[in-house]
Amino acid sequence: MRWPLIRYIPRATKFRFVRWAPVAAVFSAILLVGAIASLFLQGLNLGIDFKGGNALEIAMSRPVPLADLRAAMNQIGAHDAQVQGFASQPNSAMVKFLPAKGEAPSAASAHVERELAKRFPDLKVTSRSEVGAKVSGELLMSGFKALGVALLLTLGYIWFRFGLSYGTGAVVAVIHDIVLTLGLLSVVKIEFSMTEIAALLTVIGYSMNEKVITFDRLKENLRKYKTTPLRDIIDLSENERLSRTIITGTTALLALGGTMVFGGPVLFPLVFTMVFGIIIGTYSSIYIALPLILVWGVKRNDEEATPVKFGAASRP
């Protein structure tokens, strides 16, 4: 094929994004209510990192067969078992699990050690540890504090670069993304661990990057078209960057999609969260951040761009 397929992506589109902003606002409100309700009613499926449990560091005379070890932990009946290998030490691994209800942590650890020794004669336990609920609770709070600090830092950056109205719109949109992502994790009961905190921080970064690119194009067009209504400049800006959004978003989703399908159960929660974050981050750039700026109004070369109400007709 002589020509790259990218040439089939239209470069000059004329979608009226602002026209659908009221519908998107209602849609987002319904999703937010559902997400918050799920978080309150059934909460997150907290993993060992946040619930406490037992951890065994093991060593073998050969590279640890992680898949066989995970299967053995399931056969033993260990609750919420996790097996993590070390890239720098292939002969070692970390096994984490929860004691059964009413079972002493020491008894649970001894039972797992005995069962693993039967299945893997060359397996040796090099260290044992227990994580209490108090420590796990503190770890959970630290994780959410990290998310809060990330939001504040991004607000400061957007405020410094674009102004407070842009910064506030961006942070509201990112909070929208985080709440919906947490709500989805609650609904599908994916295990929430420190890995998910890392995924949420990645979602914040990707979502904020989308906002920066969106605002850059909007500011450029505000300087270029000084008398054009703000709603029309928003439509123009989003149409101009649509092909870029499709290309970068699709590239990221293709890479993550392969990892999500073939990466196994350890990587699935992380990648699943990032995939949803990319989709919802792109959506919120168009239908949360920009409509808020449209409602509040922005300065255009030191002259106020008059705020408009949702549903106002665009100029033909």
Side-chain angles (χ1 to χ4, degrees):
M1 185 177 292
R2 294 179 56 191
W3 302 102
L5 294 177
I6 194 174
R7 72 190 185 97
Y8 293 107
I9 299 178
R11 296 187 179 182
T13 56
K14 295 183 180 180
F15 294 113
R16 306 311 291 252
F17 293 101
V18 173
R19 177 180 298 175
W20 295 99
V23 177
V26 174
F27 177 67
S28 291
I30 293 172
L31 290 181
L32 286 171
V33 170
I36 293 171
S38 179
L39 289 170
F40 273 102
L41 293 176
Q42 66 180 18
L44 294 166
N45 179 24
L46 298 179
I48 293 175
D49 292 338
F50 300 135
K51 287 196 294 189
N54 294 42
L56 302 175
E57 188 169 340
I58 65 169
M60 301 179 73
S61 57
R62 55 194 167 96
V64 176
L66 298 177
D68 294 341
L69 192 55
R70 292 190 186 101
M73 292 296 291
N74 290 331
Q75 292 169 5
I76 292 170
H79 296 274
D80 292 342
Q82 297 179 7
V83 178
Q84 299 173 339
F86 301 115
S88 59
Q89 302 176 41
N91 290 14
S92 300
M94 178 72 73
V95 177
K96 298 180 180 178
F97 57 95
L98 289 174
K101 189 175 181 180
E103 184 180 21
S106 57
S109 181
H111 170 70
V112 169
E113 289 183 42
R114 285 194 304 270
E115 293 299 324
L116 288 179
K118 293 177 183 177
R119 290 165 171 79
F120 304 96
D122 59 337
L123 183 148
K124 294 182 179 180
V125 177
T126 57
S127 70
R128 305 169 182 82
S129 60
E130 298 175 8
V131 180
K134 181 179 179 181
V135 174
S136 300
E138 293 173 354
L139 191 62
L140 179 61
M141 290 303 300
S142 297
F144 279 105
K145 285 178 183 178
L147 295 177
V149 170
L151 286 173
L152 289 176
L153 290 175
T154 52
L155 170 61
Y157 172 74
I158 299 292
W159 187 359
F160 174 78
R161 182 166 177 179
F162 298 103
L164 183 59
S165 60
Y166 289 91
T168 306
V171 169
V172 169
V174 173
I175 291 174
H176 162 274
D177 300 343
I178 296 300
V179 172
L180 288 188
T181 304
L182 289 172
L184 178 64
L185 294 177
S186 172
V187 170
V188 300
K189 288 192 170 295
I190 284 182
E191 186 176 273
F192 190 81
S193 62
M194 285 301 295
T195 303
E196 291 304 291
I197 294 291
L200 289 174
L201 289 171
T202 304
V203 168
I204 290 176
Y206 184 92
S207 182
M208 195 56 66
N209 181 63
E210 280 291 308
K211 281 39 171 194
V212 169
I213 294 170
T214 299
F215 295 159
D216 262 336
R217 183 57 59 90
L218 178 62
K219 292 278 281 188
E220 180 183 335
N221 284 331
L222 283 172
R223 288 191 295 268
K224 207 184 290 186
Y225 307 103
K226 299 181 180 179
T227 59
T228 305
L230 181 57
R231 64 175 73 87
D232 292 337
I233 293 182
I234 289 176
D235 281 338
L236 172 65
S237 300
E238 283 307 300
N239 279 295
E240 286 179 349
R241 77 177 197 96
L242 184 60
S243 61
R244 177 260 172 205
T245 301
I246 293 173
I247 293 168
T248 55
T250 302
T251 301
L253 290 175
L254 286 174
L256 291 172
T259 307
M260 186 167 63
V261 174
F262 300 108
V266 175
L267 291 178
F268 181 82
L270 170 69
V271 180
F272 177 83
T273 304
M274 292 174 64
V275 167
F276 181 75
I278 289 174
I279 296 171
I280 203 66
T282 303
Y283 164 82
S284 69
S285 297
I286 302 173
Y287 285 117
I288 302 296
L290 287 178
L292 287 175
I293 292 174
L294 182 64
V295 171
W296 295 333
V298 294
K299 286 188 177 182
R300 187 189 306 188
N301 291 339
D302 296 327
E303 295 180 6
E304 289 287 343
T306 306
V308 298
K309 295 181 179 179
F310 277 139
S314 297
R315 194 177 63 177

